[in-house]
Amino acid sequence: MQVAARWPRTRYFDPMATAHIAPNAERTSPGRGKKKTLVRRAVPDSSQKIRHAVQFMFVVLNAWLGLQFYLWVRYFEQGGRGLYLPRPAGVEGWLPIAGLMNAKFFLMTGHVPLIHPAAMFLFAAFVLMSFLLKKAFCSWLCPVGTLSEYLGKLGHRAFGRNFRLPRQVDGTLRALKYLLLGFFVFVIGTMSAEALDGFMETPYGLMADVKMLNFFREIGLTAAIVIGLLMLGSMLVQNFWCRYLCPYGALLGLVSLLSPIKIRRDAEACIDCGTCAHACPAGLPVDKLVQIRSAECTGCMVCVAACSSENALQFSLVPRRADVVKERWTRRVVGPLAVAGMLAYIFLGLVLYARATNHWQTKMSKEIYMHLVPRANQLAHPGM
Ligand code: SF4
Ligand code: SF4
């Protein structure tokens, strides 16, 4: 998938040097002995502005869902007093295991589950996004990914740089998220449809979202220390949590291997400056490959934004065969607005479909919630 080791950073990854390349200056392709001409891109890249705007909107959406859910929980905790807002089913996006369980239940039975159906629709939306647009969910939508990214920026300011772990350590740690994923897939994979349904209908399954809220509201010292260490890790190493530990990202990364849209490089237009590889938060050797297949690629387009060469690097379908570089990309490039549009289309499409077919909300009476919500912390896992 990926080839050869990188060229020495000190020679080719000096961001100040690349920032001062004169327009259309001639550059020597290191190690290849032939000169290439930099044709600067005519239109400045806007991918990062658009991506950050999408991230911001999704953070706001999640904050709103979180507040609404908190008020809903408080209503029941206070015995039905105070402001009542309907339960926002969108919080089930934070229940990926329920999403996976419900997806399996649906595939086995053809029936949409009654408990946490929104978790399944959101899970399906995020999987579909990864199937089409690499792990764009992680770098464009996921609030944890957004937090990781900004912690990395903060760390860069604080320490003057982000760190990359030695290759072998990095590879070993990256395997952790697949081990975690394997554990969940094994446990869920061995459950029958009846067992899945039975689990969801237990008070514990029904209150999974309330228990998650309570975990953060009443966080213990150990959990706070672990979260603090993970945040520190993300300041030191870009996307620490996503890169090493997130099983959801691992699953989406595996799905993303099928994506027809990838980061692709035109070797003729590329001047081999290495700026893209230096900029890539996933540490991928973008400058050495004609396409990035890696499960680590999040489709963030940071590499595309960093490249100053016209038509050298794109997020695209397979390029056409043509003698002229520009023609190879004709109707093949998926620009940042198109990415944002596709993400919105998939997300809203599945949410609106679930709402229109009356499968969005968990159908549970107020009396049951009145009984269970205040007791959520006392509910033990049915397997214990
Ligand atoms: S694709 Fe990468 S190596 Fe090639 S010109 Fe662009 S930034 Fe430089
Ligand atoms: S290859 Fe490009 S799109 Fe993929 S993770 Fe690296 S910077 Fe982001």
Side-chain angles (χ1 to χ4, degrees), residues 263 276 279-284 286 292 296-304:
I263 293 293
C276 50
C280 174
L284 296 168
V286 190
I292 302 291
E296 299 297 325
C297 176
T298 62
C300 64
M301 298 177 79
V302 166
C303 53
V304 177

Side-chain angles (χ1 to χ4, degrees), residues 96 123 130 134-135 137-138 142 174 177-178 181 241-256 295-298:
F123 174 76
S130 308
K134 299 296 292 178
K135 278 199 298 183
F137 167 75
C138 301
C142 177
R174 270 195 282 152
K177 62 179 184 285
Y178 295 106
L181 172 66
W241 163 261
C242 314
R243 187 170 178 79
Y244 299 128
L245 293 168
C246 179
Y248 206 15
L251 175 67
L252 299 182
L254 292 178
V255 174
S256 81
E296 299 297 325
C297 176
T298 62

